[in-house]
Amino acid sequence: QEREVLSVNKYHYKGDLIKLTTESGKELIVTPEHKVAIKSFWNKIKYVQADKLRSWHKVLTLQE
């Protein structure tokens, strides 16, 4: 299923990138300082830098 991309913030980055894989199999490749939306312990949306994510964090993505 194809989706329209509304915007992309793209710049050259020298360094390691982080590859995130969601439970549904979606892959995101981001810089370490990229803020990622997660569901917090109290079901609130929280933004965490990608390099601070842990395996128990639930990354939020758009539904298919």
Side-chain angles (χ1 to χ4, degrees):
Q1 177 174 324
E2 292 185 31
R3 294 189 182 259
E4 180 182 353
V5 175
L6 300 177
S7 69
V8 175
N9 295 325
K10 195 173 182 181
Y11 63 94
H12 294 287
Y13 177 78
K14 289 187 179 186
D16 293 331
L17 296 174
I18 296 175
K19 183 178 183 179
L20 306 172
T21 304
T22 66
E23 288 180 342
S24 64
K26 291 182 181 181
E27 291 184 346
L28 306 166
I29 298 174
V30 298
T31 60
E33 66 272 359
H34 188 102
K35 300 261 182 169
V36 179
I38 64 166
K39 187 182 286 190
S40 75
F41 182 72
W42 297 278
N43 282 336
K44 302 264 184 188
I45 295 174
K46 181 178 176 182
Y47 293 88
V48 177
Q49 277 189 208
D51 62 351
K52 305 283 192 254
L53 287 171
R54 300 296 175 245
S55 60
W56 60 84
H57 286 136
K58 302 287 184 190
V59 176
L60 299 179
T61 62
L62 296 175
Q63 293 182 346
E64 295 183 7

